[in-house]
Amino acid sequence: MAATAPTSRSREQPAGDEEATSDLKLGEFQNVPTLTLSEARVLINAVMDRRKQQRKVEETETLVKTLDYLDVFARFKQKENIEAVERMLVGHDELELFERSQLGSLCCETSEEAKTLIPSLANKISDIDLQELLDEISKLRNFTE
């Protein structure tokens, strides 16, 4: 029996060694400040408002799709709530910046869910402390927005 030809090309490995698994390896992005989706939404909208005032608006398809995405998936819409979540997360200096922004974006309901989606949390924060943080974040969500 003859060997069959491969049905697909081999996939190139991505450049760099970044991975967000149980051992967080972000390479050159290790200590770079990160934003939650809600913070990114506020920032981009502020920049767009300023550009509209200066009549320097260029709404590309990518920008429109990004704003649509952020409108759907940003968990917090009110600036006060976004700032409150940030203050809560900053208080947990045992967490990496990336982990904090993920917690603020994903808004997990349980510590188990959070540690499944963000495996690097496993040995950094107890389930009880993480659950308390998640509960406090959840209180700030406005489900009618």
Side-chain angles (χ1 to χ4, degrees):
M1 180 180 252
T4 59
T7 57
S8 64
R9 294 181 280 158
S10 62
R11 183 178 293 183
E12 283 186 42
Q13 293 289 36
D17 60 352
E18 296 88 6
E19 56 182 49
T21 60
S22 59
D23 188 24
L24 195 59
K25 297 178 191 174
L26 299 177
E28 65 183 285
F29 302 105
Q30 188 66 40
N31 295 312
V32 175
T34 55
L35 300 173
T36 65
L37 295 177
S38 300
E39 291 169 323
R41 180 179 170 272
V42 167
L43 181 66
I44 292 173
N45 282 326
V47 169
M48 291 304 298
D49 288 346
R50 183 162 184 196
R51 287 181 181 174
K52 284 177 185 174
Q53 291 173 351
Q54 297 173 345
R55 295 178 181 20
K56 295 180 180 180
V57 177
E58 185 178 328
E59 288 192 8
T60 64
E61 181 181 350
T62 302
L63 177 60
V64 170
K65 287 183 178 183
T66 300
L67 288 171
D68 289 344
Y69 177 88
L70 292 172
D71 284 339
V72 171
F73 292 105
R75 302 291 188 210
F76 304 96
K77 309 291 190 215
Q78 297 173 341
K79 189 174 181 183
E80 300 80 27
N81 290 348
I82 295 167
E83 291 170 350
V85 169
E86 177 63 18
R87 282 191 301 273
M88 277 186 241
L89 293 169
V90 165
H92 288 273
D93 52 353
E94 74 273 21
L95 303 177
E96 298 286 337
L97 299 172
F98 173 80
E99 294 162 335
R100 293 180 207 166
S101 64
Q102 291 299 299
L103 286 170
S105 291
L106 295 172
C107 293
C108 301
E109 291 184 20
T110 66
S111 59
E112 180 183 0
E113 178 185 14
K115 288 183 176 186
T116 299
L117 295 174
I118 312 166
S120 58
L121 293 175
N123 297 319
K124 292 186 179 178
I125 186 169
S126 73
D127 287 344
I128 293 169
D129 290 343
L130 180 55
Q131 189 61 55
E132 287 176 6
L133 175 61
L134 296 174
D135 291 344
E136 290 299 312
I137 290 172
S138 183
K139 288 178 188 176
L140 294 172
R141 285 188 65 191
N142 184 348
F143 292 96
T144 61
E145 292 182 310

